[in-house]
Amino acid sequence: MNLPSGKSKIEQLLQSKPDVHFNLRRESIIRHVVDKEEAFISRQGALATWTSKESTGRSPRDTLIVRRAENKETIDWDSPNNCPLDEKTFDMVLEDALETLNAKDEIYVTDRVIGADPEYALPVKTITDHALTALFTLNMFRPVPEEIGQSIFQDEDFYLVSLPHNKLNKSRYEGRLRKLEDGSTTDMIVVMDFERSMGIIIGSAYLGSVKKLMFTVMNYYLPQRGILPLHCSANEDSDGDCALLLGLSGTGKTTLSADPGRALLGDDEHGWSDRGIANFENGCYAKMINIDPEKEPEIYDAVMHLDEYTQHGTIVENAMIYPNREFDFNDERLTPNSRASYPLEYLQNIKKSSVSGHPKTILFLTADAYGVLPPISKLNPDQAMLWFLMGYTSKVPGTETEVIEPKATFSRFFGQPFMPANPGVYAEMLGEKLARFETNVYLINTGWTGGPYGKGKRIDITWTRKMLDAAFSGAIEREKFHHDNLFHLDIPENCPGVPPEILFPVNTWPDKKAYERQANKLAQKFSKAFNENYGNKIRENIKRQCPGK
């Protein structure tokens, strides 16, 4: 096979060095991690590790895409999340990565795939000097299936070079990469070259950089092949009916998708092809801060109810741990973004194949802190395309220092930083699939009722679960619906097991005029955000569904 020059240089380096470990077994990689003191074993057996302050989360401003003639029209370069890098600078970064790798005593190579459906499983070769990074790829990416020859990506292996604890030479990249507050140049980069099927990470030890780089790659490649990527969780009932849950942080996606009556396909990234739904991942990368074993028992047990002497390879990143080797997940002094990486098979209620048919139900989750959206409403295909495009939720006071009142947040497709193609591509693909497969879509508000945050109260999760049950079973379809002209939503007049008065938010507000002012305020924010971000990029029938229009 003739490899592009960048990949061929990597292969030449790997063949020339004596201490390259190709596809070590899981237990062997864990032993390397411990022997090299990249992590140590907690009382429950999970591997505890920490990063520098600069690597406790993603670094969006250091996450770049190589701009080439081929992607001039296919990437939304107007998005602040799609930061371009010129070809010459990428070549410099690759040159430095190869030089750094050549100086390493040991290199780890893993061959895995992204995607549970062999028809579009993307082979990814990860090259790293860090055994923990190699273990992370075993947790998060899938083994190469026997049917890989059927994949549309069979001859398009993606090469990912990760050097998490090295840094770029700042003076070499002055004027080429972003300036820091002190006037110096960044020494970190997370870069994707879609056209050359390569990615490079230097200076970011946050394991999520590896995961999100590869999922961004999938989110760019798949629409070009007729497959819709979705940032969502997915589960399935005993009859095989599949449901998708999309929502930003704080909307309850993780909690609501962990339903004892439904088997989990995955909790973060999926593809929707002509064959149905398939999970991208092999594992989970769960937030651990303030984890409650009663509310999230599946995640807690996957991390904590293990055996110290079992080589399970769960990784806990940036959580407080005491000298007795016990974790304190309520301590956020290092970061509130502590994480745990573990294979899906460590959960109890999963569907092992991680594939299902076409979704019968899709739920868009929002936590409306303005207190004006109904707890459940139905969306027609055009409405669904609009709410999918907007990806609305609210931030509440206390989540960020500058937030002193509810703040409307819009992240298109509920995952804007990881969706690099033009926005109309994803929205219109969703509309086409909804029409073709007759999928029901509902907007679920898990936020406030009876008033905004600080005056109203959070919608009772037991009621939310009743609404989900009615949506999954189809019982809600037998109810009468009332059309809301401001937000263009269809609200059921009744829902089994839910007090009917809460279904219409105005009924729960003691001051009806205050409700109207607050509702109009949120509608104006929608309209402004839509006009600023999309303008003429989206067709007219979607525009008409925007609140306030």
Side-chain angles (χ1 to χ4, degrees), residues 36-87:
K36 295 173 70 175
E37 298 183 346
E38 294 177 358
F40 76 88
I41 302 174
S42 69
R43 186 169 295 280
Q44 286 76 24
L47 295 165
T49 188
W50 299 270
T51 62
S52 65
K53 287 184 178 180
E54 296 76 23
S55 290
T56 57
R58 292 178 58 253
S59 181
R61 295 181 63 193
D62 293 314
T63 302
L64 311 174
I65 298 171
V66 180
R67 187 167 189 166
R68 297 185 182 276
E70 299 97 314
N71 61 36
K72 181 180 178 182
E73 303 298 332
T74 55
I75 291 176
D76 181 13
W77 294 112
D78 292 333
S79 170
N81 300 102
N82 296 332
C83 304
L85 183 73
D86 65 275
E87 300 173 37

Short mmCIF file of all heavy atoms in Angstrom, two decimals, residues 36-87:
data_model
loop_
_atom_site.label_atom_id
_atom_site.label_comp_id
_atom_site.label_asym_id
_atom_site.label_seq_id
_atom_site.Cartn_x
_atom_site.Cartn_y
_atom_site.Cartn_z
N LYS A 36 6.11 2.50 35.00
CA LYS A 36 6.64 3.81 34.61
C LYS A 36 6.07 4.94 35.47
O LYS A 36 6.35 6.11 35.22
CB LYS A 36 6.33 4.07 33.13
CG LYS A 36 7.05 3.10 32.19
CD LYS A 36 6.59 3.28 30.75
CE LYS A 36 7.07 4.59 30.16
NZ LYS A 36 6.72 4.70 28.73
N GLU A 37 5.24 4.58 36.45
CA GLU A 37 4.63 5.54 37.38
C GLU A 37 3.82 6.62 36.66
O GLU A 37 3.78 7.77 37.06
CB GLU A 37 5.70 6.19 38.28
CG GLU A 37 6.41 5.16 39.15
CD GLU A 37 7.42 5.81 40.09
OE1 GLU A 37 7.76 6.99 39.89
OE2 GLU A 37 7.86 5.12 41.03
N GLU A 38 3.18 6.21 35.57
CA GLU A 38 2.26 7.12 34.89
C GLU A 38 0.93 7.20 35.65
O GLU A 38 0.16 8.15 35.46
CB GLU A 38 2.02 6.64 33.46
CG GLU A 38 3.27 6.71 32.60
CD GLU A 38 3.06 6.17 31.19
OE1 GLU A 38 1.95 5.70 30.89
OE2 GLU A 38 4.00 6.22 30.38
N ALA A 39 0.67 6.21 36.47
CA ALA A 39 -0.51 6.19 37.34
C ALA A 39 -0.22 5.18 38.45
O ALA A 39 0.70 4.36 38.32
CB ALA A 39 -1.76 5.79 36.56
N PHE A 40 -0.99 5.25 39.53
CA PHE A 40 -0.84 4.21 40.54
C PHE A 40 -2.20 3.62 40.87
O PHE A 40 -3.25 4.20 40.57
CB PHE A 40 -0.10 4.72 41.78
CG PHE A 40 -0.90 5.59 42.69
CD1 PHE A 40 -1.67 5.04 43.72
CD2 PHE A 40 -0.87 6.97 42.57
CE1 PHE A 40 -2.40 5.84 44.57
CE2 PHE A 40 -1.59 7.79 43.42
CZ PHE A 40 -2.37 7.22 44.43
N ILE A 41 -2.17 2.45 41.51
CA ILE A 41 -3.39 1.68 41.70
C ILE A 41 -4.10 2.13 42.97
O ILE A 41 -3.53 2.12 44.06
CB ILE A 41 -3.07 0.18 41.77
CG1 ILE A 41 -2.37 -0.26 40.47
CG2 ILE A 41 -4.35 -0.63 41.95
CD1 ILE A 41 -1.89 -1.70 40.49
N SER A 42 -5.37 2.52 42.81
CA SER A 42 -6.20 2.91 43.96
C SER A 42 -6.65 1.65 44.71
O SER A 42 -6.42 0.52 44.27
CB SER A 42 -7.42 3.69 43.47
OG SER A 42 -8.29 2.83 42.76
N ARG A 43 -7.33 1.86 45.83
CA ARG A 43 -7.77 0.72 46.64
C ARG A 43 -8.72 -0.20 45.85
O ARG A 43 -8.71 -1.41 46.04
CB ARG A 43 -8.45 1.22 47.92
CG ARG A 43 -8.82 0.11 48.90
CD ARG A 43 -9.23 0.66 50.24
NE ARG A 43 -8.14 1.34 50.91
CZ ARG A 43 -7.16 0.73 51.58
NH1 ARG A 43 -7.14 -0.58 51.66
NH2 ARG A 43 -6.22 1.43 52.18
N GLN A 44 -9.54 0.40 44.98
CA GLN A 44 -10.47 -0.40 44.20
C GLN A 44 -9.84 -0.97 42.92
O GLN A 44 -10.50 -1.68 42.19
CB GLN A 44 -11.69 0.44 43.81
CG GLN A 44 -12.66 0.71 44.94
CD GLN A 44 -12.14 1.77 45.90
OE1 GLN A 44 -11.32 2.60 45.53
NE2 GLN A 44 -12.62 1.73 47.14
N GLY A 45 -8.59 -0.60 42.67
CA GLY A 45 -7.92 -1.14 41.51
C GLY A 45 -7.87 -0.22 40.31
O GLY A 45 -7.15 -0.47 39.36
N ALA A 46 -8.67 0.86 40.33
CA ALA A 46 -8.61 1.82 39.23
C ALA A 46 -7.27 2.54 39.23
O ALA A 46 -6.67 2.76 40.29
CB ALA A 46 -9.75 2.83 39.35
N LEU A 47 -6.81 2.93 38.06
CA LEU A 47 -5.55 3.66 37.94
C LEU A 47 -5.79 5.14 38.14
O LEU A 47 -6.59 5.75 37.42
CB LEU A 47 -4.94 3.41 36.57
CG LEU A 47 -4.52 1.96 36.30
CD1 LEU A 47 -4.28 1.74 34.82
CD2 LEU A 47 -3.27 1.60 37.11
N ALA A 48 -5.13 5.74 39.11
CA ALA A 48 -5.28 7.16 39.41
C ALA A 48 -4.15 7.94 38.75
O ALA A 48 -2.97 7.59 38.88
CB ALA A 48 -5.25 7.40 40.92
N THR A 49 -4.51 9.00 38.03
CA THR A 49 -3.51 9.82 37.34
C THR A 49 -3.90 11.28 37.40
O THR A 49 -5.07 11.61 37.62
CB THR A 49 -3.35 9.37 35.87
OG1 THR A 49 -2.25 10.06 35.27
CG2 THR A 49 -4.61 9.66 35.07
N TRP A 50 -2.91 12.15 37.22
CA TRP A 50 -3.15 13.59 37.25
C TRP A 50 -2.41 14.25 36.09
O TRP A 50 -1.37 13.77 35.64
CB TRP A 50 -2.68 14.22 38.57
CG TRP A 50 -3.39 13.65 39.74
CD1 TRP A 50 -4.55 14.08 40.31
CD2 TRP A 50 -3.02 12.48 40.47
NE1 TRP A 50 -4.92 13.26 41.35
CE2 TRP A 50 -3.99 12.27 41.47
CE3 TRP A 50 -1.96 11.57 40.38
CZ2 TRP A 50 -3.94 11.21 42.37
CZ3 TRP A 50 -1.91 10.52 41.27
CH2 TRP A 50 -2.90 10.35 42.24
N THR A 51 -2.95 15.35 35.63
CA THR A 51 -2.31 16.13 34.59
C THR A 51 -1.88 17.48 35.17
O THR A 51 -2.22 17.81 36.31
CB THR A 51 -3.27 16.37 33.41
OG1 THR A 51 -4.40 17.12 33.88
CG2 THR A 51 -3.77 15.06 32.84
N SER A 52 -1.20 18.26 34.37
CA SER A 52 -0.86 19.62 34.79
C SER A 52 -2.11 20.49 34.75
O SER A 52 -3.14 20.12 34.18
CB SER A 52 0.20 20.22 33.86
OG SER A 52 -0.33 20.35 32.55
N LYS A 53 -2.04 21.68 35.35
CA LYS A 53 -3.18 22.59 35.35
C LYS A 53 -3.61 22.95 33.93
O LYS A 53 -4.78 23.22 33.68
CB LYS A 53 -2.82 23.88 36.12
CG LYS A 53 -2.75 23.70 37.62
CD LYS A 53 -2.49 25.03 38.31
CE LYS A 53 -2.46 24.87 39.82
NZ LYS A 53 -2.20 26.17 40.50
N GLU A 54 -2.67 22.95 33.00
CA GLU A 54 -2.98 23.33 31.63
C GLU A 54 -3.70 22.20 30.88
O GLU A 54 -4.18 22.41 29.76
CB GLU A 54 -1.70 23.68 30.85
CG GLU A 54 -0.95 24.90 31.37
CD GLU A 54 -0.15 24.63 32.63
OE1 GLU A 54 0.19 23.44 32.87
OE2 GLU A 54 0.10 25.57 33.38
N SER A 55 -3.80 21.02 31.50
CA SER A 55 -4.34 19.86 30.79
C SER A 55 -5.49 19.20 31.54
O SER A 55 -5.69 18.00 31.44
CB SER A 55 -3.23 18.83 30.55
OG SER A 55 -2.29 19.29 29.61
N THR A 56 -6.26 19.97 32.28
CA THR A 56 -7.39 19.38 33.00
C THR A 56 -8.67 19.37 32.16
O THR A 56 -9.72 18.95 32.63
CB THR A 56 -7.66 20.13 34.32
OG1 THR A 56 -7.89 21.51 34.03
CG2 THR A 56 -6.47 19.99 35.26
N GLY A 57 -8.58 19.85 30.94
CA GLY A 57 -9.72 19.86 30.03
C GLY A 57 -9.23 20.14 28.62
O GLY A 57 -8.03 20.31 28.39
N ARG A 58 -10.17 20.20 27.70
CA ARG A 58 -9.82 20.54 26.33
C ARG A 58 -9.30 21.97 26.25
O ARG A 58 -9.66 22.81 27.06
CB ARG A 58 -11.03 20.42 25.41
CG ARG A 58 -11.55 19.03 25.19
CD ARG A 58 -12.79 19.04 24.29
NE ARG A 58 -12.52 19.66 23.01
CZ ARG A 58 -12.94 20.87 22.64
NH1 ARG A 58 -13.66 21.62 23.46
NH2 ARG A 58 -12.66 21.35 21.45
N SER A 59 -8.46 22.24 25.26
CA SER A 59 -7.98 23.59 25.00
C SER A 59 -8.48 24.00 23.62
O SER A 59 -7.80 23.81 22.61
CB SER A 59 -6.45 23.64 25.04
OG SER A 59 -5.98 24.95 24.81
N PRO A 60 -9.71 24.56 23.55
CA PRO A 60 -10.32 24.85 22.23
C PRO A 60 -9.46 25.74 21.35
O PRO A 60 -9.43 25.55 20.13
CB PRO A 60 -11.64 25.54 22.61
CG PRO A 60 -11.96 25.04 23.98
CD PRO A 60 -10.63 24.87 24.66
N ARG A 61 -8.77 26.71 21.94
CA ARG A 61 -7.99 27.65 21.12
C ARG A 61 -6.71 27.03 20.58
O ARG A 61 -6.08 27.57 19.67
CB ARG A 61 -7.68 28.91 21.92
CG ARG A 61 -8.94 29.72 22.28
CD ARG A 61 -8.59 30.96 23.06
NE ARG A 61 -7.78 31.88 22.28
CZ ARG A 61 -7.12 32.92 22.80
NH1 ARG A 61 -7.18 33.15 24.10
NH2 ARG A 61 -6.40 33.70 22.03
N ASP A 62 -6.32 25.89 21.12
CA ASP A 62 -5.16 25.16 20.60
C ASP A 62 -5.58 23.97 19.75
O ASP A 62 -4.73 23.18 19.33
CB ASP A 62 -4.28 24.69 21.75
CG ASP A 62 -3.63 25.85 22.49
OD1 ASP A 62 -3.09 26.75 21.83
OD2 ASP A 62 -3.68 25.86 23.74
N THR A 63 -6.89 23.81 19.52
CA THR A 63 -7.41 22.72 18.70
C THR A 63 -7.65 23.25 17.29
O THR A 63 -8.49 24.12 17.08
CB THR A 63 -8.71 22.17 19.31
OG1 THR A 63 -8.44 21.71 20.64
CG2 THR A 63 -9.24 21.01 18.47
N LEU A 64 -6.89 22.74 16.33
CA LEU A 64 -6.82 23.33 14.99
C LEU A 64 -7.13 22.31 13.91
O LEU A 64 -7.01 21.09 14.11
CB LEU A 64 -5.43 23.92 14.77
CG LEU A 64 -4.87 24.83 15.88
CD1 LEU A 64 -3.42 25.19 15.58
CD2 LEU A 64 -5.71 26.08 16.01
N ILE A 65 -7.52 22.82 12.75
CA ILE A 65 -7.78 22.01 11.56
C ILE A 65 -6.92 22.54 10.43
O ILE A 65 -6.88 23.75 10.18
CB ILE A 65 -9.27 22.07 11.16
CG1 ILE A 65 -10.16 21.52 12.27
CG2 ILE A 65 -9.51 21.32 9.85
CD1 ILE A 65 -11.65 21.75 12.03
N VAL A 66 -6.22 21.64 9.74
CA VAL A 66 -5.38 22.06 8.62
C VAL A 66 -6.28 22.52 7.47
O VAL A 66 -7.16 21.78 7.02
CB VAL A 66 -4.46 20.93 8.15
CG1 VAL A 66 -3.59 21.40 6.97
CG2 VAL A 66 -3.57 20.47 9.30
N ARG A 67 -6.05 23.74 7.04
CA ARG A 67 -6.85 24.31 5.96
C ARG A 67 -6.18 24.02 4.62
O ARG A 67 -5.04 24.41 4.39
CB ARG A 67 -7.01 25.81 6.15
CG ARG A 67 -7.98 26.45 5.17
CD ARG A 67 -8.34 27.85 5.59
NE ARG A 67 -9.42 28.42 4.79
CZ ARG A 67 -10.10 29.51 5.12
NH1 ARG A 67 -9.78 30.17 6.22
NH2 ARG A 67 -11.07 29.95 4.36
N ARG A 68 -6.90 23.31 3.77
CA ARG A 68 -6.40 22.95 2.46
C ARG A 68 -7.44 23.33 1.40
O ARG A 68 -8.60 23.59 1.72
CB ARG A 68 -6.09 21.45 2.39
CG ARG A 68 -4.99 21.00 3.35
CD ARG A 68 -4.65 19.53 3.15
NE ARG A 68 -3.63 19.06 4.08
CZ ARG A 68 -2.32 19.20 3.91
NH1 ARG A 68 -1.86 19.79 2.81
NH2 ARG A 68 -1.46 18.74 4.81
N ALA A 69 -7.02 23.30 0.16
CA ALA A 69 -7.94 23.67 -0.93
C ALA A 69 -9.16 22.74 -0.94
O ALA A 69 -10.27 23.16 -1.24
CB ALA A 69 -7.21 23.60 -2.27
N GLU A 70 -8.94 21.47 -0.56
CA GLU A 70 -10.03 20.49 -0.62
C GLU A 70 -11.15 20.77 0.39
O GLU A 70 -12.29 20.33 0.19
CB GLU A 70 -9.49 19.07 -0.37
CG GLU A 70 -8.47 18.61 -1.39
CD GLU A 70 -7.05 18.81 -0.89
OE1 GLU A 70 -6.75 19.90 -0.36
OE2 GLU A 70 -6.24 17.87 -1.04
N ASN A 71 -10.83 21.45 1.50
CA ASN A 71 -11.87 21.66 2.52
C ASN A 71 -12.32 23.11 2.62
O ASN A 71 -12.98 23.49 3.60
CB ASN A 71 -11.43 21.13 3.89
CG ASN A 71 -10.19 21.82 4.43
OD1 ASN A 71 -9.98 23.01 4.23
ND2 ASN A 71 -9.35 21.06 5.13
N LYS A 72 -11.98 23.91 1.64
CA LYS A 72 -12.35 25.32 1.66
C LYS A 72 -13.86 25.51 1.77
O LYS A 72 -14.34 26.41 2.49
CB LYS A 72 -11.83 26.01 0.39
CG LYS A 72 -12.14 27.51 0.34
CD LYS A 72 -11.59 28.13 -0.94
CE LYS A 72 -11.93 29.61 -1.02
NZ LYS A 72 -11.44 30.23 -2.29
N GLU A 73 -14.64 24.66 1.10
CA GLU A 73 -16.10 24.81 1.09
C GLU A 73 -16.81 23.82 2.01
O GLU A 73 -17.99 23.98 2.28
CB GLU A 73 -16.62 24.61 -0.34
CG GLU A 73 -16.02 25.55 -1.37
CD GLU A 73 -16.34 27.02 -1.08
OE1 GLU A 73 -17.40 27.27 -0.46
OE2 GLU A 73 -15.53 27.88 -1.46
N THR A 74 -16.11 22.79 2.49
CA THR A 74 -16.79 21.74 3.25
C THR A 74 -16.72 21.94 4.76
O THR A 74 -17.43 21.25 5.51
CB THR A 74 -16.20 20.36 2.91
OG1 THR A 74 -14.78 20.41 3.13
CG2 THR A 74 -16.48 20.01 1.46
N ILE A 75 -15.87 22.85 5.22
CA ILE A 75 -15.78 23.16 6.65
C ILE A 75 -16.35 24.55 6.89
O ILE A 75 -16.17 25.46 6.08
CB ILE A 75 -14.31 23.09 7.13
CG1 ILE A 75 -13.83 21.63 7.11
CG2 ILE A 75 -14.15 23.67 8.54
CD1 ILE A 75 -12.38 21.45 7.47
N ASP A 76 -17.05 24.72 7.99
CA ASP A 76 -17.63 26.02 8.33
C ASP A 76 -16.54 26.87 8.99
O ASP A 76 -16.41 26.92 10.21
CB ASP A 76 -18.81 25.84 9.28
CG ASP A 76 -19.46 27.17 9.66
OD1 ASP A 76 -19.15 28.18 8.99
OD2 ASP A 76 -20.25 27.21 10.61
N TRP A 77 -15.79 27.55 8.16
CA TRP A 77 -14.68 28.36 8.68
C TRP A 77 -15.16 29.62 9.40
O TRP A 77 -14.38 30.31 10.03
CB TRP A 77 -13.72 28.72 7.55
CG TRP A 77 -13.01 27.54 6.97
CD1 TRP A 77 -13.17 27.01 5.73
CD2 TRP A 77 -12.03 26.71 7.63
NE1 TRP A 77 -12.36 25.92 5.56
CE2 TRP A 77 -11.65 25.71 6.70
CE3 TRP A 77 -11.44 26.72 8.90
CZ2 TRP A 77 -10.70 24.73 7.02
CZ3 TRP A 77 -10.51 25.75 9.22
CH2 TRP A 77 -10.14 24.78 8.28
N ASP A 78 -16.46 29.91 9.32
CA ASP A 78 -17.00 31.05 10.07
C ASP A 78 -17.20 30.71 11.54
O ASP A 78 -17.35 31.60 12.38
CB ASP A 78 -18.36 31.48 9.49
CG ASP A 78 -18.22 32.08 8.10
OD1 ASP A 78 -17.14 32.63 7.80
OD2 ASP A 78 -19.19 32.00 7.32
N SER A 79 -17.23 29.41 11.87
CA SER A 79 -17.42 29.00 13.26
C SER A 79 -16.16 29.28 14.07
O SER A 79 -15.04 28.97 13.64
CB SER A 79 -17.74 27.51 13.34
OG SER A 79 -17.69 27.07 14.69
N PRO A 80 -16.30 29.86 15.28
CA PRO A 80 -15.12 30.11 16.12
C PRO A 80 -14.46 28.83 16.59
O PRO A 80 -13.32 28.86 17.08
CB PRO A 80 -15.70 30.89 17.31
CG PRO A 80 -17.14 30.52 17.35
CD PRO A 80 -17.55 30.31 15.92
N ASN A 81 -15.14 27.69 16.44
CA ASN A 81 -14.56 26.42 16.88
C ASN A 81 -13.68 25.78 15.82
O ASN A 81 -12.93 24.84 16.12
CB ASN A 81 -15.68 25.45 17.26
CG ASN A 81 -16.54 25.96 18.39
OD1 ASN A 81 -17.64 26.45 18.16
ND2 ASN A 81 -16.03 25.90 19.61
N ASN A 82 -13.77 26.24 14.57
CA ASN A 82 -12.96 25.68 13.50
C ASN A 82 -11.78 26.61 13.22
O ASN A 82 -11.86 27.49 12.36
CB ASN A 82 -13.81 25.47 12.25
CG ASN A 82 -14.90 24.45 12.47
OD1 ASN A 82 -14.77 23.54 13.29
ND2 ASN A 82 -16.01 24.59 11.76
N CYS A 83 -10.71 26.42 13.97
CA CYS A 83 -9.53 27.30 13.88
C CYS A 83 -8.56 26.72 12.85
O CYS A 83 -8.11 25.57 13.00
CB CYS A 83 -8.84 27.41 15.23
SG CYS A 83 -9.93 27.99 16.55
N PRO A 84 -8.23 27.48 11.80
CA PRO A 84 -7.40 26.94 10.73
C PRO A 84 -5.90 26.97 11.06
O PRO A 84 -5.42 27.82 11.79
CB PRO A 84 -7.71 27.87 9.56
CG PRO A 84 -8.05 29.18 10.20
CD PRO A 84 -8.73 28.84 11.49
N LEU A 85 -5.20 25.99 10.51
CA LEU A 85 -3.75 25.95 10.56
C LEU A 85 -3.25 25.77 9.14
O LEU A 85 -3.79 24.95 8.38
CB LEU A 85 -3.26 24.78 11.43
CG LEU A 85 -1.74 24.67 11.60
CD1 LEU A 85 -1.23 25.79 12.52
CD2 LEU A 85 -1.34 23.30 12.16
N ASP A 86 -2.21 26.51 8.75
CA ASP A 86 -1.70 26.40 7.39
C ASP A 86 -0.89 25.11 7.21
O ASP A 86 -0.38 24.54 8.18
CB ASP A 86 -0.87 27.63 7.03
CG ASP A 86 0.40 27.73 7.86
OD1 ASP A 86 0.33 28.28 8.98
OD2 ASP A 86 1.45 27.22 7.41
N GLU A 87 -0.78 24.68 5.98
CA GLU A 87 -0.14 23.41 5.66
C GLU A 87 1.34 23.39 6.09
O GLU A 87 1.83 22.38 6.60
CB GLU A 87 -0.24 23.14 4.16
CG GLU A 87 -1.67 23.05 3.65
CD GLU A 87 -1.75 22.95 2.14
OE1 GLU A 87 -0.87 22.29 1.55
OE2 GLU A 87 -2.67 23.53 1.53
#
